[in-house]
Every structure is written in structure tokens, then in C-alpha cells.
Amino acid sequence: MDISRKIGIGIVMIIPTFVGGGVVWYFLNSWLAVLVWIIVIASGYGVMMGKFFCKD
């Protein structure tokens, strides 16, 4: 997979990060919980890039 597609997928992943972070903040009112949400999304992106798009 070329780098432009990886960057595009990363940009699209920003949307659930912002929306989910807002929802987490609304319900829990905790910056730590929002940070955990961001880490979960970033980990999911990393797994997706490694698992689905690596060249074997």
C-alpha cells in the first residue's frame, strides 16, 4: 500500500477520535478517559496498518 493511502486512512480515523473523545468527555468528564480513547483509536490504526496492509 502506498503512503498516500495510509495517510488518507489516518486522516479519516481523526473523525471517530474527535467524536468519540467528545462522547467520552460528556459521560465521564475525565481527560484520562479521553486519552485512553485516543490510545485505543491509535492502536486500532496501527493494527489495521500492520495486519491488513503488510506485504508478506
Side-chain angles (χ1 to χ4, degrees):
M1 173 189 296
D2 57 358
I3 191 71
S4 61
R5 184 172 174 121
K6 288 182 180 180
I7 292 171
I9 293 171
I11 291 170
V12 169
M13 291 296 288
I14 291 173
I15 297 167
T17 304
F18 281 142
V19 173
V23 170
V24 168
W25 176 259
Y26 178 77
F27 285 114
L28 300 177
N29 204 15
S30 168
W31 284 111
L32 182 61
V34 174
L35 181 63
V36 169
W37 175 254
I38 292 170
I39 291 170
V40 166
I41 293 294
S43 299
Y45 175 73
V47 167
M48 187 171 33
M49 289 297 111
K51 183 176 181 181
F52 296 125
F53 301 117
C54 65
K55 296 177 182 170
D56 293 337

